[in-house]
Amino acid sequence: MSNLSSRYILERLISFATVSRDSNLELITFVRDYLASHGVKSELFHNEEGTKASLFATIGPKDRGGVVLSGHTDVVPVDGQSWTVDPFQLSEHDNKLYGRGTADMKGFIASVLAAVPLFVKTALKTPIHLAFSYDEEIGCLGVRPMLAELAKRPLKYRLCLIGEPTEMKPVLGHKGKLAMRCCIKGAACHSAYAPYGVNAIEYAAQLITRLGEMGKRQAQPERHDARFDPPYSTIQTGVIKGGRALNIVPAECEFDFEVRALPDFDAQTVADELQHYAQTELVPAMQAVQADTGIDMQPLSAYPGLVTPPDSAAAQLLALISGSDDFGTVAFGTEGGLFEQAGIPTVVCGPGSMDQGHKPDEFIHVRQLAACDAMLVRLADVLSRE
């Protein structure tokens, strides 16, 4: 396969509708075959069903750890969005490339793949590793089995560069996330006899109110970290459903809430406090009316935050290849905290803006793609000399 531009590869990647609910295997097969055409072998890490896979490959010396270039292959759905272009066919207008995943984050993967011929022909002293995962959008799920396997190996990786869209600005931190579902089992009866039932919606309202109070505590100035926007850990309820009819006391209600936590705040403490409140104050009152009522909380997803010191070797290498040491943070999460937990220093820098991510008519500007291409050329040059 001849050398391909990042734009051409992006066009191919966008054509694979790798929404998280669907398989990513066609895209992974394309990437594996592309790498093989340049003499690069890949390892695949499948999910339990065999319907999805993460890919890991090494270019350069195999006896040492190097720089990991990481990106997720899944994208969010387009359902209910008003697109003016085909979301799974790349289109260009005014130097903007449109399609689902152009910014988040197939643009970065396209640049990495376009750089593979350069990586292969460069006499790298430090290897470059490619790590492409699945199901990042629904809880950073696919990268975990891959990291578990890498942890068994004797190699110590120098750093991981997550190519999430930061407009090519160097980023050293982001918040963590905990998502939970709270299920309330009440007791139904005719609404004319409401006191004889257990209203699941009303108990859900008390729990949500308590979450709001906890959120206000987190917003107190003494808890602020000015590096982040907003500068404190946030708590919000995003989904709620319950009830059958207005004249029936609702026997069920459930709601989903999330914590976006500063890196030094343990988001689990929010869930623990809510659970304690539920079991000590609400459940006894519910069960005094009917014994088989209760409140149950289930984790949906979680990932840790990330903070990499600006004076670390990883940060300094990022400054060198990105051309800037004006380090920042982002509000959205990445797989970076998981790489960090695995002992791999991690930074974030990639083409495009998350302002376009998850929206209809998602796009990436061609100059962003070109800037990422240039950064990877500089990376190859640095790793050929070190």
Side-chain angles (χ1 to χ4, degrees):
M1 188 178 293
S2 60
N3 294 1
L4 302 176
S5 70
S6 54
R7 187 201 184 284
Y8 177 83
I9 295 175
L10 180 58
E11 183 173 6
R12 291 298 307 276
L13 297 179
I14 295 303
S15 71
F16 300 108
T18 52
V19 177
S20 302
R21 64 187 175 220
D22 300 320
S23 174
N24 74 333
L25 291 183
E26 284 191 65
L27 182 150
I28 289 294
T29 298
F30 166 76
V31 173
R32 183 192 62 193
D33 292 348
Y34 171 82
L35 293 175
S37 74
H38 293 287
V40 179
K41 295 181 179 179
S42 303
E43 296 178 80
L44 301 187
F45 302 88
H46 289 85
N47 63 349
E48 291 183 2
E49 298 77 17
T51 57
K52 301 179 182 182
S54 295
L55 179 147
F56 188 81
T58 298
I59 304 171
K62 303 294 192 295
D63 61 345
R64 68 200 72 172
V67 173
V68 181
L69 302 178
S70 177
H72 63 82
T73 63
D74 60 317
V75 298
V76 296
V78 299
D79 308 55
Q81 296 186 339
S82 299
W83 285 71
T84 63
V85 296
D86 185 337
F88 299 111
Q89 180 177 330
L90 194 72
S91 56
E92 182 173 356
H93 182 68
D94 291 337
N95 292 318
K96 297 173 183 177
L97 302 173
Y98 290 86
R100 172 56 87 219
T102 47
D104 185 19
M105 59 177 296
K106 291 180 177 179
F108 175 74
I109 295 176
S111 283
V112 170
L113 293 177
V116 165
L118 171 65
F119 294 160
V120 169
K121 74 178 183 181
T122 300
L124 296 172
K125 294 181 180 179
T126 299
I128 293 173
H129 311 280
L130 312 184
F132 303 144
S133 65
Y134 63 87
D135 284 359
E136 187 271 352
E137 296 288 4
I138 55 174
C140 299
L141 304 182
V143 74
R144 298 172 196 256
M146 180 167 57
L147 285 174
E149 177 58 33
L150 296 181
K152 301 175 185 177
R153 302 178 182 181
L155 302 179
K156 183 175 178 60
Y157 298 93
R158 179 173 175 179
L159 81 131
C160 174
L161 170 58
I162 306 280
E164 291 278 8
T166 67
E167 298 181 284
M168 296 305 298
K169 298 173 183 177
V171 165
L172 301 184
H174 63 72
K175 294 179 180 179
K177 177 183 174 180
L178 173 68
M180 300 285 296
R181 174 165 294 158
C182 183
C183 302
I184 299 94
K185 181 185 178 184
C189 70
H190 194 291
S191 62
Y193 303 97
Y196 304 134
V198 177
N199 190 315
I201 290 177
E202 291 183 359
Y203 278 98
Q206 293 183 66
L207 290 162
I208 293 169
T209 298
R210 177 56 68 97
L211 284 171
E213 293 168 355
M214 285 190 269
K216 290 178 181 178
R217 291 206 307 266
Q218 294 303 317
Q220 294 298 312
E222 61 268 21
R223 297 178 183 266
H224 286 199
D225 185 334
R227 295 174 296 177
F228 295 87
D229 180 24
Y232 49 86
S233 300
T234 59
I235 304 169
Q236 73 104 19
T237 301
V239 178
I240 185 169
K241 56 185 177 181
R244 303 284 179 171
L246 185 57
N247 61 355
I248 302 174
V249 170
E252 67 284 316
C253 184
E254 67 178 38
F255 64 89
D256 298 347
F257 69 92
E258 68 169 18
V259 185
R260 297 279 180 164
L262 293 171
D264 61 353
F265 177 67
D266 182 2
Q268 184 60 42
T269 61
V270 173
D272 291 345
E273 181 178 335
L274 192 67
Q275 180 73 37
H276 179 76
Y277 169 66
Q279 296 304 317
T280 60
E281 298 190 38
L282 302 186
V283 171
M286 296 167 66
Q287 293 182 347
V289 177
Q290 185 156 319
D292 63 350
T293 56
I295 297 172
D296 180 56
M297 294 189 195
Q298 308 163 2
L300 297 177
S301 65
Y303 56 75
L306 172 71
V307 171
T308 298
D311 59 351
S312 66
Q316 294 308 306
L317 178 58
L318 177 60
L320 182 62
I321 64 173
S322 70
S324 173
D325 61 359
D326 185 14
F327 301 121
T329 64
V330 289
F332 58 85
T334 78
E335 297 169 333
L338 294 169
F339 277 93
E340 186 74 34
Q341 283 188 343
I344 305 173
T346 301
V347 295
V348 184
C349 184
S353 169
M354 196 57 86
D355 286 344
Q356 278 72 56
H358 299 201
K359 293 181 179 179
D361 290 352
E362 179 181 349
F363 70 84
I364 188 171
H365 201 285
V366 293
R367 66 170 174 263
Q368 286 284 306
L369 211 56
C372 189
D373 293 344
M375 179 180 71
L376 296 173
V377 170
R378 290 192 290 271
L379 175 65
D381 178 62
V382 170
L383 298 187
S384 69
R385 294 184 280 108
E386 293 186 352

